Amino acid sequence: MAVERTTGRVTRRRVRTRANLLDAAFSVFAAKGFGHVSIEEVCEAAGYSRGAFYSNFSSLDELFFALYRERADLIAEQVSGALAVDGPGLDVPAAVDRVTDVLLLDRDWLLVKTDFLVHAARAPEVARSLLEHRARLRQAIADRLARARGHTALPAVLGDTDGAAHAVVAAYDGVTTQLLLDRDVEHARAWLKQLLTALLTDGSGTPDHRQN
């Protein structure tokens, strides 16, 4: 019994240590950039030793991907939840508002995400993992749009729900790139809403109910 309680405490402490390392790494990566951060700096920011680091991660690459995966999974869940509210049909303008609110995260996250994209472009194995996570986000959007077919029509130019999902993610990527440069969150939010409304409706803000 005592062993079980001790094991439970160790497990909880390790989970907390890992979470603290991820939080500290997020702040350091956002401030300095992935290629300019050392393990020692992450440990110092988190208040842990190198031993604590290596008991949770084998390298900065592994920590970096764990950080990206954590945030990307959260975004996929938030987007799925935002699109699930309307029932079998889809109120596109309302859904666009909800999705925009969860997609436009803070600028620090966008800095970390951009660093990871550049890193992945030079590392094929990392790129494959990143592509899998981006595919999950697109699939969450495509699945929701597919369930709404017959209730809510999509513009024929998008081809199918997969095409629509790719367009949504591409619009987000473009708008957030601009946000990194001009730091204008409100303008980026408004522009993304306009883009997604134009992509997923007839462009007027009201879904086009004609069948494709």
Side-chain angles (χ1 to χ4, degrees), residues 92-199:
V92 173
V96 165
D97 284 345
R98 294 192 301 268
V99 168
T100 301
D101 287 341
V102 298
L103 276 178
L104 273 179
L105 303 179
D106 61 58
R107 188 171 177 273
D108 282 350
W109 161 244
L110 297 177
L111 286 168
V112 172
K113 173 191 164 188
T114 301
D115 265 350
F116 194 72
L117 287 170
V118 173
H119 176 59
R122 295 188 174 97
E125 289 187 7
V126 178
R128 282 193 291 272
S129 296
L130 178 58
L131 286 170
E132 289 173 4
H133 282 276
R134 286 174 65 83
R136 284 187 56 193
L137 176 59
R138 288 196 304 269
Q139 192 60 52
I141 297 169
D143 287 348
R144 180 61 186 97
L145 295 175
R147 290 197 301 274
R149 286 182 83 88
H151 301 274
T152 306
L154 295 173
V157 69
L158 294 176
D160 55 19
T161 54
D162 286 337
H166 273 81
V168 168
V169 175
Y172 169 64
D173 286 341
V175 168
T176 53
T177 297
Q178 182 67 25
L179 173 59
L180 281 173
L181 299 175
D182 65 20
R183 302 171 183 249
D184 189 343
V185 175
E186 292 309 310
H187 179 265
R189 190 186 306 277
W191 181 228
L192 185 58
K193 287 181 181 180
Q194 291 171 4
L195 281 176
L196 295 184
T197 299
L199 282 169

Side-chain angles (χ1 to χ4, degrees), residues 59-74:
S59 65
L60 277 178
D61 274 9
E62 183 182 337
L63 181 151
F64 199 58
F65 188 71
L67 177 63
Y68 182 89
R69 183 170 59 241
E70 178 184 81
R71 304 289 171 127
D73 286 349
L74 175 61

Side-chain angles (χ1 to χ4, degrees), residues 45-58:
Y48 293 118
S49 66
R50 286 175 64 93
F53 180 95
Y54 283 115
S55 68
N56 287 276
F57 305 101
S58 63

Side-chain angles (χ1 to χ4, degrees), residues 75-95:
I75 291 172
E77 291 172 9
Q78 290 174 328
V79 169
S80 297
L83 291 173
V85 172
D86 296 319
L90 190 64
D91 181 342
V92 173

